[in-house]
Amino acid sequence: MSGALAVAGAAPNWRLRLERVIAQPAVRRSWPLVAAVVALFVGLLLWSLLRSPDTRPVYPGLADADKSAVADALRTADFAVTIDSASGAVLVPAAQVAAARILLAGQGLPKAAPTSGTMLGAMPLGSSRAVEGAQLKLAAERDLAASIAAIDAVESAQVHLATPEASVFIRDRAAPTASVLVVLAAGRTLSDAQVRAIVHLVASAVPGLAPAGVSVVDQTGALLSGADAGDLGESGRMLDVEARMAAQLRQRVVQLLTPIVGAENFTAQVTADLDFAENAATRESLAPGTLVNEQGSSTTETPPPPARGIPGALSNTIPQAAQVSLTPPAAAPPVPATPTGSNSFTRSYEIGKAVSVTRAARGTLRRLSVAVVVRDEALGAPKGRAARLATLTGLVRSAVGFDARRGDVVTLAGQGFAGADANAAPEWWQAYLGDAAKGVLGLAGLAMLVFGLARPWLRARAAERLAALETVPEVLPAPLDYDAKLAEARRLAGADTARATAVMRGLLRAEPA
């Protein structure tokens, strides 16, 4: 009822009260801060609404034949699908990549790159031998490409096999070869070990394919395998080997001197000169011959007795009648036998023979140079620096495998180091500045917007409000009508006597202020 009385009276003007609050000096001074907070909030809200969402391609290197089907299938499933204007890749939010791939796999997408099992299973019955061979080779290429793509830093790969057909009518069969195209991720490279692994992976999967017949090329057209790989070919590989050996030897020196003089009190450089010449020497020596076997044979022949009589016509006549005589004819003198013989001998000699082949290994260390500079303060007192340098020199020589016969050189010297710039910012701070520069510039632009445009406008509005308040006459509340209020109180007391009595008792018990 008291609220009703207040409304019935002269109710205060809420708009006038709000203008009075705004006109307060403290409120007027806080307006720029309030405007800056509101502008910052609005800027963050606009940035969150206008920034591009974090998206990822569903399948890197997706074939153009499958992009339309994949995009339609994802839009049907209410995925936020976008198409990259530069590469044409199908993009979805990063948090939905796994779900999108599961959905597409359930629908048999993509179809442009079937697996080897699918290809062999879809081969029609009764295919010719040529078709079967082509399908098998294509399946092998797809399997090898999938295996290579599983290597870190490789986004996709393509394998091309050149395997000549076997024929009984061809004597000289050409050896199979292979070409591998790898598409590397942005900013990634393949090490020599990874390239050799790819070469041996392909060579081991194809019968008769030698590692020398496998060529590996990246998406920039650079040859990664073979003797001509790299800008310098074999010379570049030799330089890499020398650099790795020098780095290993330098690491030994660093590990040796760090606990002795401190990591910041020395610097070391190592140069390794390797001999990559391949030398092969063959030596053959003959021992004096010794008789091992001797064979001989002798043959004697006796000719038959000579023929008697006079050959001619009389020898064919009929012999005369035999005549008996008591005196036997005289016997013919015997013909002496003349022996005829031949001798043959075979002698075998064994000749001693020794053959030795010496092949020098490539990449042998030909000369080693080590230079170490130690801070003077780390060597202690000036009187003992020479002895300590000699001790450190011996330790470094032992660590790198010093050999005077090779002409190795190990030099240690004490020098004063240039002091670090005290005003130079730390490395972590310099790295942080690069990341925070954009944020600082953005805040500076926002501050210029607030204090350059919003603040003058707010000041002008506040001045207008203040002028309006000064021109508006002060409205005083209407005087109270005590007779009317007393009559209303009497009516309420007569209507509810018990409550009126309780109110009066409470007033009487209340302590005076």
Side-chain angles (χ1 to χ4, degrees):
M1 183 60 67
S2 60
L5 293 176
V7 173
N13 191 344
W14 63 269
R15 185 175 180 180
L16 183 60
R17 288 186 177 182
L18 180 60
E19 292 178 351
R20 288 180 178 178
V21 172
I22 294 176
Q24 294 292 330
V27 177
R28 291 171 56 188
R29 288 194 298 268
S30 64
W31 265 113
L33 179 61
V34 174
V37 172
V38 172
L40 180 61
F41 175 76
V42 172
L44 293 176
L45 181 62
L46 292 176
W47 176 79
S48 62
L49 293 176
L50 298 179
R51 72 183 183 92
S52 59
D54 186 12
T55 58
R56 295 287 187 274
V58 181
Y59 288 106
L62 187 64
D64 295 338
D66 286 328
K67 290 180 180 179
S68 177
V70 168
D72 292 341
L74 294 177
R75 290 193 182 97
T76 305
D78 295 333
F79 281 88
V81 180
T82 56
I83 305 298
D84 189 1
S85 58
S87 61
V90 180
L91 306 177
V92 296
Q96 300 180 352
V97 172
R101 291 180 178 178
I102 294 174
L103 175 67
L104 294 175
Q107 299 182 7
L109 294 174
K111 297 180 179 180
T115 60
S116 60
T118 306
M119 294 172 57
L120 296 178
M123 186 182 301
L125 185 64
S127 300
S128 63
R129 182 178 179 181
V131 174
E132 290 181 355
Q135 290 287 348
L136 291 174
K137 188 179 75 170
L138 184 58
E141 292 175 351
R142 293 289 173 82
D143 285 344
L144 287 173
S147 300
I148 295 173
I151 298 177
D152 190 17
V154 178
E155 286 190 352
S156 61
Q158 294 182 4
V159 179
H160 306 281
L161 300 178
T163 54
E165 296 184 0
S167 176
V168 296
F169 302 103
I170 300 177
R171 177 178 299 177
D172 298 331
R173 181 185 177 187
T177 57
S179 301
V180 181
L181 173 64
V182 291
V183 179
L184 304 179
R188 303 296 298 273
T189 58
L190 289 178
S191 62
D192 292 340
Q194 289 177 318
V195 174
R196 289 195 300 270
I198 293 175
V199 170
H200 287 281
L201 174 66
V202 177
S204 302
V206 180
L209 178 58
V214 180
S215 301
V216 182
V217 184
D218 63 2
Q219 72 268 26
T220 62
L223 181 63
L224 305 180
S225 63
D228 298 332
D231 297 335
L232 300 178
E234 187 66 20
S235 300
R237 294 184 181 275
M238 295 179 184
L239 293 176
D240 291 340
V241 173
E242 288 184 349
R244 286 198 297 268
M245 178 170 287
Q248 292 177 359
L249 295 176
R250 183 182 181 279
Q251 185 64 25
R252 293 181 185 178
V253 176
V254 171
Q255 292 178 355
L256 175 67
L257 296 181
T258 298
I260 299 176
V261 298
E264 302 296 332
N265 295 325
F266 74 95
T267 178
Q269 293 295 332
V270 179
T271 302
D273 185 9
L274 302 182
D275 185 8
F276 292 95
E278 185 175 2
N279 300 322
T282 303
R283 181 180 180 182
E284 181 176 347
S285 60
L286 301 178
T290 57
L291 181 62
V292 175
N293 187 14
E294 182 176 0
Q295 297 178 357
S297 62
S298 177
T299 304
T300 303
E301 297 181 357
T302 301
R308 295 180 179 180
I310 300 173
L314 295 178
S315 62
N316 295 327
T317 59
I318 299 174
Q320 299 178 1
Q323 296 180 2
V324 179
S325 176
L326 296 176
T327 303
V335 179
T338 303
T340 302
S342 63
N343 296 326
S344 64
F345 293 92
T346 302
R347 292 183 177 88
S348 299
Y349 292 90
E350 187 70 21
I351 300 176
K353 183 179 181 181
V355 179
S356 61
V357 179
T358 304
R359 186 181 298 273
R362 300 183 63 186
T364 57
L365 184 59
R366 183 163 50 192
R367 190 170 181 270
L368 184 64
S369 301
V370 181
V372 180
V373 179
V374 185
R375 190 192 297 270
D376 287 335
E377 292 78 3
L379 295 175
K383 293 183 179 180
R385 289 179 181 177
R388 193 168 188 187
L389 275 177
T391 303
L392 294 178
T393 302
L395 293 175
V396 172
R397 288 180 176 180
S398 301
V400 299
F402 176 82
D403 189 354
R405 293 173 298 179
R406 290 196 306 249
D408 295 350
V409 178
V410 176
T411 304
L412 269 79
Q415 296 289 336
F417 285 12
D421 188 3
N423 298 325
E427 294 183 359
W428 64 269
W429 177 252
Q430 295 178 1
Y432 177 76
L433 287 178
D435 297 334
K438 295 182 180 179
V440 172
L441 292 177
L443 292 178
L446 184 61
M448 292 178 62
L449 178 63
V450 171
F451 294 101
L453 298 178
R455 187 175 181 180
W457 179 80
L458 292 175
R459 283 184 176 180
R461 294 292 298 171
E464 293 177 359
R465 291 287 185 181
L466 184 59
L469 290 176
E470 291 177 355
T471 56
V472 175
E474 185 177 0
V475 180
L476 299 177
L480 298 178
D481 190 356
Y482 291 100
D483 295 337
K485 291 185 175 295
L486 182 59
E488 183 66 19
R490 289 175 179 176
R491 187 184 65 79
L492 293 176
D496 194 350
T497 307
R499 180 174 294 181
T501 304
V503 170
M504 293 303 298
R505 289 177 180 177
L507 292 176
L508 292 175
R509 286 196 301 267
E511 296 181 0

